[in-house]
Amino acid sequence: HQSLGRLDESEASYRRALEIKPDYAEAHNNLGNAFLSLGRLGESEASCLRALKIKPDFAEAYNNLGNALQGLGRLGEAEASYRRALKIKPDYPEALNNLALLLNAQGKATTALHVIKQSLRIKETAEARNVFVSCVKHIRLKRDDNDIRIDVTRALAEPWCRPDDLARISIDLVRLNPEIEGCIVRAAAAWPLRLSAQDLFGPNGLAMLAADTLLCALLVSAPVCDLDLERFLTMARRAMLQAAAGMTASDAEIGTALSFYSALARQCFINEYVFSYTNDEIREAGNLRDALVAALEAGTQSPSLWPVAVAAYFPLYSLPHAARLLDTEWPADVAAVLAQQVREPTEELQERTRVPRMTDIENAVSLSVQNQYEENPYPRWVKAEPAGNVKDFVGYLCRKFPLSAFRRYGKSGGVDVMIAGCGTGRHSIEVARHFQCAQVLAVDLSISSLSYARRKTRELGLTSIEYAQADLLKLGSLDRSFDVVESVGVLHHLADPWAGWRVLLSLLRPAGFMKLGFYSEVARRHIVKARAFIAGQGYGATADDIRRCRQDLTVSGKCLDFGNVLKSSDFFTISTCRDLLFHVQEHHITLTAIDAFLRDNQLTFLGFEIGDGVLNEYKLRFPDNPAATNLGQWQMFEREMPDTFFGMYQFWIQKAG
C-alpha cells in the first residue's frame, strides 16, 4: 500500500500488524515512515523511538528518526541520529545520502561532498546521484580533483540532473587545467582584439582542449555561462573558421581538434549564436557557407571541418540542400553536429502541423508574447532531469513541506496535471518523468516551442503528455479539471496576472494543488536598471541587437551596477537574454500582493521551492515559523537578502476542499 501511494491503507495495515504483534520493531519503523509521508512528524518520531526501544541497534529506525527530526527542524538531533545509524551500519547508503543533504543545507558543502562520495562508492543510486549534484554545484574548487571531474563529466553526459546545474563547477574544473586557463586568460586580456590561433592556443592548448572530456561534455549539454570562457570560445571559433578556410593549421592539427571544434559548433547552436563577431569574420564565414552549399549542389565531398565551421556561425538547416549532408558518412563528432542542426530541426518542422489548437489567440498582449516565442522558443535545452518514481503526489508534497498546514488526502492512482505555458517542454517532460502517476496536458502560445517539446517528448519515449496550442486566458472554456496545475514564469507576462491566476483556479479541483512562479519586484531591480539602459541606447530585440547590447552591457557594467544580471544564466543565449532583458510584457510582483490574493481566494500557502541553504537561513532568522509559510516574514527576509528570489518566487498552494 505504501509503495502504491495508498498511505491511509498503509497506516491501517501497519497498525493491524502491531495489534497482532505489539513488539514488532519493523512495523513500528514502517509506521513511522508512513507518518513521515503523511506529514505527521511527531507521530513519526514516536513510532521510530518505539522501534528503537524494542531493537536498539536498528539502523533503519535511526535513519527514519533522523528524517522526522530534520522535518521538525531539530537539525543537531537529526545529524546525531544519522551518524548513529552509520555507526551501526557503516555501508548504509540511505543514511549517507540523508546526512549529506543535511550537511549541505547547513552550508557544509565540502563535508557533505565527502559523505556522498562514500555513498556513491557503496551503491550508485539515483538518489545518491541527485545528492551529489546538490552538494557539488555550489562548491568553488581551488585545485583540481580528478574524482570530482570524472563524476561531473558523467553527470553531464548521462545526465544525472539538468546540465545547467553543473555548469559552474564544470567551468571551475576546466579552468583548473593550467594550459586551458592560460588560453582563457590570454583571450580575456586581449578582448575585444582577436588573437591569432598561435597566440590564443599556445603550443599545447588546442590538444588540451580536445582531450578535455569535461569541457566537451559541457559544450554539448548546456550554455556556457562565463564571460571569460565565452570570449575565449569566440576567438576559438574564429581560429576554427580560418583553419577550415585553409588559412592556418595542418590536417593533423585539425584532426586532433575535431572533437573540440564539433563541440564548439554544437555550443553555438545551443546558445543561438550569441557570440559576437567582426565584419571580416562573418564575411569569411559567409564565404565558407557558400563554398559548402556549392559542394552540396555539385554532390562533391567537402572537408570534415567545413560543415562544422559553418555550423558555428549559421544553423545548418538554413542551407539549401542541407539534407544531403545526412547522406554522407562523417566522423562521429561531425555526425553529432548534423543530427543537432539538420535532422532534429527537420523533425520539429514536421511536428508543427501536428500540434492541435485548443483555443483561439486574440488578446493583443497574448499575440505579442506569442510572436516573441515563435521567433525565440524558450529555452533551447538539451537534456532533462532523469526520471523519478513518485507514485503518490500528496505524499511528495508532505515530504517537501512537512510542517505546512494543508489538507492531506490519500488520492489513489494517477493525477491529472496541467502545465500552463509549457514552452519548449522541459517542465512538462520533467513532471511526467518524475511523477509516473501523472497524465499531463501541456499548453503554450507558441507553435515553435510546442514543436520542440513534442520532438523531445517523442525522443524520450513518453506517452503521458498531451500538447496543445492555447491562450491561458481562454482556458476557462475548457471542459476539464485537474488535480494539479503548474504555471511557472507565465502569469507575469499577461496583461493582468491576477485574471490569469483566477482562470487557472477555475480549472483546479477542490483540494487540488498549484505551483506558480512570479518575478519578484525586489529581486528584479537590477534588471529594471539594465532595461532602462537598453531603452536609452535604442536597442531592438533582434539577434544582432542582442549581441551588440550584451557587449555594451559588459563594458558599462564596470561602472554601472547591474547586480547579478551579467552573471545570470539567462544572459548567455539569444532567447533567454531576450526573455530576461527585452520581453514585450512583464509585471513584477510583491509578496504582499500574493498574500492578499491567497487570502481573498481562500488558498493555502504550502511553501517556496527554494534551496535548503536559504530555507535554513530563514528558519534561523524566524524560529517561530518552522513551516516557513509566513509571507510577511518572508518579505522581511527578502528586504534583508534582496537577491533571494532573483530567479522567481516559486511556490505551491492548495485550493480549498
Side-chain angles (χ1 to χ4, degrees), residues 538-589:
Y539 285 110
T542 65
D544 282 340
D545 274 4
I546 290 172
R547 286 188 202 97
R548 290 191 300 108
C549 177
R550 291 179 74 253
Q551 300 309 312
D552 284 354
L553 282 170
T554 58
V555 172
S556 300
K558 296 175 181 176
C559 53
L560 298 175
D561 182 13
F562 293 128
N564 289 326
V565 173
L566 307 188
K567 297 179 181 177
S568 166
S569 60
D570 282 352
F571 189 66
F572 291 88
T573 84
I574 292 291
S575 64
T576 56
C577 190
R578 183 175 181 183
D579 196 81
L580 179 74
L581 299 175
F582 295 83
H583 207 288
V584 294
Q585 171 76 27
E586 72 177 43
H587 294 272
H588 303 146
I589 311 297

Side-chain angles (χ1 to χ4, degrees), residues 133-374:
V133 171
S134 297
C135 295
V136 80
K137 67 182 180 182
H138 296 304
I139 281 182
R140 302 306 301 267
L141 296 173
K142 294 183 179 179
R143 61 176 180 225
D144 203 354
D145 185 312
N146 193 54
D147 289 341
I148 294 178
R149 176 183 285 271
I150 291 169
D151 286 337
V152 170
T153 303
R154 286 188 56 211
L156 283 171
E158 294 183 8
W160 294 3
C161 61
R162 286 189 176 187
D164 319 53
D165 290 342
L166 293 172
R168 180 70 266 164
I169 184 66
S170 299
I171 291 167
D172 283 353
L173 284 163
V174 166
R175 297 191 65 168
L176 286 168
N177 180 317
E179 292 284 355
I180 296 178
E181 175 65 2
C183 296
I184 295 170
V185 169
R186 288 191 293 273
W191 190 264
L193 296 176
R194 279 17 179 204
L195 297 176
S196 68
Q198 184 176 356
D199 290 339
L200 178 64
F201 296 130
N204 301 312
L206 194 52
M208 294 299 292
L209 290 160
D212 195 312
T213 55
L214 175 57
L215 173 61
C216 291
L218 174 62
L219 292 177
V220 305
S221 300
V224 167
C225 303
D226 180 271
L227 279 173
D228 286 347
L229 182 52
E230 177 184 314
R231 287 168 176 171
F232 162 70
L233 293 172
T234 301
M235 293 189 198
R237 178 176 68 166
R238 178 173 174 269
M240 170 173 54
L241 174 63
Q242 293 178 332
M247 298 169 63
T248 63
S250 68
D251 289 343
E253 289 173 323
I254 291 173
T256 300
L258 190 59
S259 61
F260 167 67
Y261 282 150
S262 297
L264 176 55
R266 291 168 70 183
Q267 170 65 202
C268 293
F269 187 83
I270 290 168
N271 67 40
E272 297 152 303
Y273 304 96
V274 78
F275 294 166
S276 66
Y277 45 72
T278 66
N279 291 334
D280 288 344
E281 181 182 357
I282 198 64
R283 187 164 49 251
E284 290 175 22
N287 291 338
L288 185 63
R289 176 190 57 193
D290 293 343
L292 178 59
V293 170
L296 289 172
E297 289 175 344
T300 57
Q301 177 68 40
S302 60
S304 295
L305 196 55
W306 279 21
V308 174
V310 171
Y313 289 89
F314 313 101
L316 292 177
Y317 67 81
S318 66
L319 273 59
H321 313 295
R324 294 181 183 178
L325 288 165
L326 302 175
D327 297 333
T328 301
E329 188 172 338
W330 300 93
D333 292 316
V334 180
V337 175
L338 301 181
Q340 177 201 50
Q341 298 201 20
V342 181
R343 179 174 292 115
E344 291 174 1
T346 301
E347 292 172 359
E348 286 168 37
L349 188 62
Q350 294 167 351
E351 290 289 352
R352 293 183 69 88
T353 61
R354 300 168 185 163
V355 178
R357 186 162 186 161
M358 190 167 279
T359 76
D360 291 333
I361 302 169
E362 300 169 330
N363 178 274
V365 170
S366 296
L367 288 168
S368 295
V369 172
Q370 178 194 21
N371 182 63
Q372 174 174 330
Y373 291 123
E374 293 293 0

Side-chain angles (χ1 to χ4, degrees), residues 56-78:
D57 61 347
F58 196 174
E60 287 77 5
Y62 275 112
N63 180 59
N64 287 337
L65 176 61
N67 292 336
L69 293 168
Q70 185 172 357
L72 289 164
R74 289 151 56 187
L75 304 187
E77 294 175 69

Side-chain angles (χ1 to χ4, degrees), residues 422-436:
C422 66
T424 50
R426 174 182 267 184
H427 186 175
S428 50
I429 285 170
E430 289 178 350
V431 167
R433 296 183 86 197
H434 193 63
F435 301 104
Q436 295 188 7

Side-chain angles (χ1 to χ4, degrees), residues 459-502:
E459 182 181 293
L460 292 166
L462 293 171
T463 58
S464 59
I465 307 176
E466 172 192 356
Y467 287 102
Q469 185 184 32
D471 187 343
L472 186 155
L473 292 171
K474 292 197 169 187
L475 290 175
S477 62
L478 192 64
D479 188 23
R480 292 171 67 173
S481 62
F482 301 88
D483 301 296
V484 180
V485 173
E486 300 194 27
S487 188
V488 176
V490 177
L491 295 178
H492 51 228
H493 292 314
L494 302 179
D496 183 351
W498 313 105
W501 194 347
R502 284 189 286 271

